[in-house]
Amino acid sequence: MSALGATAAAAAPAGALFRPLSAEDGEQQPAEIESLCMNCFRNGVTRLLLTRIPFFKEIIVSSFSCPSCSWSNTEIQAAGRIQEQGVRYTLAVTSRQDMNREVVKTDCASARIPELDFEVPAFSQKGVLTTIEGIIDRAVAGLEQDQPARRATDPEVARKIDEFIGKLRQLKEVSSPFTFILDDPSGNSFVENPRAPHRDEALQVTHYRRSPQQCALLGLQGEEVDAKPPDAAEDLRDEVLQFNTNCPECNAPASTNMKLVQIPHFKEVIIMATNCDSCGHRTNEVKSGGAIEPQGTRITLRITDPSDMTRDILKSETCSVEIPELEFELGMGALGGKFTTLEGLLKDIRDLVEKNPFSLGDSSTASRTGKLQEFIGKLQDIIEGKAQAHFIMDDPAGNSYLQNVYAPEEDPELSVQHYERTFEQNEELGLNDMRTEGYEAEPASGR
């Protein structure tokens, strides 16, 4: 018997875990293939053996060894196809005997120990034929691999990893029971039942239907997509629509791109961008993708750090902006709808003030120009993080947004207030004369 066959036989308990596929190949020797060693780049030998696990299925056991550098590696692969359902093994480990249970873990299987919040993710390791103790040893070896470098560069992280390694080693003593979970979407992993064919009370086997994400990881996404009818709304979210228009500057034919975007912790918006190839004019605009909210929204941000300039901001057409420290207010409709950062919006405000026609040419006066330059200087200090200020957005339609960098937790520098609109605000939004119920019953006037 070859070295691989001897290893498999030695690892098997009474009753032999592995058996030849048939009587004809009872004397079958593993196939040997000359392969390149990835450690020393000399030739080694790969041995392949097709075998069967009782009460499970066929697998291919492969073993590589290099006579030049003594490097070796073992791996298993499922010899059959991907199963119809995924499988999840849940084992209550209560004794040292449970640590010796044979485990077939494919590369797409994940292993978890909930008591330590520990997980070996899918596709992070190649398929392996081992025991539960072997899986823990392999995890410990992986964590210890870069510890010398961590102790030199980040002692605190290295100390925490050492503590966790100690907890993993304590599991091998089984001083207290713990749970071992092996989850394989392909259905080709296996945990030994020493009482087979009888039921093992400590081992629970669950078969489940794969999710679309799991099917995509296994390369089965095409089948899932064909099984589901196309969703027009989803297609719209993933597609950039384009329609023809005229340039607002030179009236030449141009194209406008439109995209539906989901803003996290807010709502959907429509972003439109127009680019003219004739004169180079570019413009962009943001529209709310939903209805007018039942209440208005007032958002107040206390700018205390330069990092606040990177916050995403959605300013709708109905939103006004106020900076009390500068005695500045930007009314509704100015600058239109924008989806940018706080720094981008403040720079747009600065450009709007600089291009004020009453501060340029013969119509300007020294006092007016001086005040505008003083305002622009203070605004630039806020943009550069040299001065603190309050930034207030008031949107009666409730369709504006300022990013909460602590989401889903509360932001200590950001406050959002919802309020009832006044009659004048409803009038500006055209809501006072709008009827959405009962209008069908009334006859049209003049008929």
Side-chain angles (χ1 to χ4, degrees), residues 195-379:
R195 298 177 179 85
H198 301 292
R199 181 181 177 183
D200 186 351
E201 296 296 334
L203 182 63
Q204 180 182 355
V205 183
T206 305
H207 296 273
Y208 60 88
R209 185 179 182 86
R210 285 183 288 268
S211 66
Q213 292 79 9
Q214 290 172 328
C215 289
L217 290 174
L218 297 175
L220 304 177
Q221 185 64 26
E223 300 177 8
E224 294 292 329
V225 171
D226 293 339
K228 295 189 298 183
D231 188 346
E234 290 297 331
D235 292 343
L236 183 61
R237 291 182 178 88
D238 296 334
E239 184 180 356
V240 177
L241 303 179
Q242 189 176 77
F243 55 90
N244 297 324
T245 184
N246 290 334
C247 174
E249 292 292 330
C250 66
N251 204 34
S255 60
T256 297
N257 296 328
M258 183 175 68
K259 179 75 167 62
L260 189 63
V261 177
Q262 173 69 44
I263 298 179
H265 308 288
F266 189 53
K267 60 172 67 175
E268 289 182 333
V269 297
I270 300 173
I271 300 179
M272 294 186 293
T274 302
N275 185 15
C276 179
D277 295 332
S278 300
C279 67
H281 176 73
R282 294 183 179 182
T283 181
N284 62 77
E285 189 175 1
V286 178
K287 299 284 188 180
S288 172
I292 295 177
E293 296 295 318
Q295 293 180 313
T297 303
R298 182 180 177 88
I299 304 173
T300 303
L301 172 66
R302 184 168 174 264
I303 302 174
T304 59
D305 190 85
S307 62
D308 289 329
M309 293 295 110
T310 62
R311 293 177 185 247
D312 290 332
I313 189 170
L314 170 64
K315 176 194 171 298
S316 72
E317 293 179 331
T318 58
C319 178
S320 61
V321 175
E322 182 180 355
I323 305 177
E325 287 78 3
L326 301 183
E327 297 182 0
F328 171 79
E329 183 175 356
L330 184 72
M332 285 194 299
L335 293 178
K338 282 189 173 292
F339 183 45
T340 179
T341 61
L342 180 57
E343 180 181 9
L345 183 60
L346 292 179
K347 287 183 176 180
D348 287 340
I349 293 175
R350 181 194 62 191
D351 295 341
L352 183 66
V353 173
E354 287 179 340
K355 295 178 181 178
N356 188 336
F358 294 102
S359 64
L360 303 173
D362 297 337
S363 60
S364 64
T365 61
S367 60
R368 181 180 297 153
T369 303
K371 290 180 180 179
L372 287 177
Q373 292 302 321
E374 181 183 0
F375 171 83
I376 292 173
K378 292 180 179 179
L379 183 60

Side-chain angles (χ1 to χ4, degrees), residues 147 150-151 154-164:
Q147 278 297 84
R150 289 194 194 97
R151 293 188 183 98
D154 198 337
E156 181 64 21
V157 173
R159 182 185 62 80
K160 292 181 179 179
I161 293 178
D162 284 334
E163 292 178 357
F164 189 78

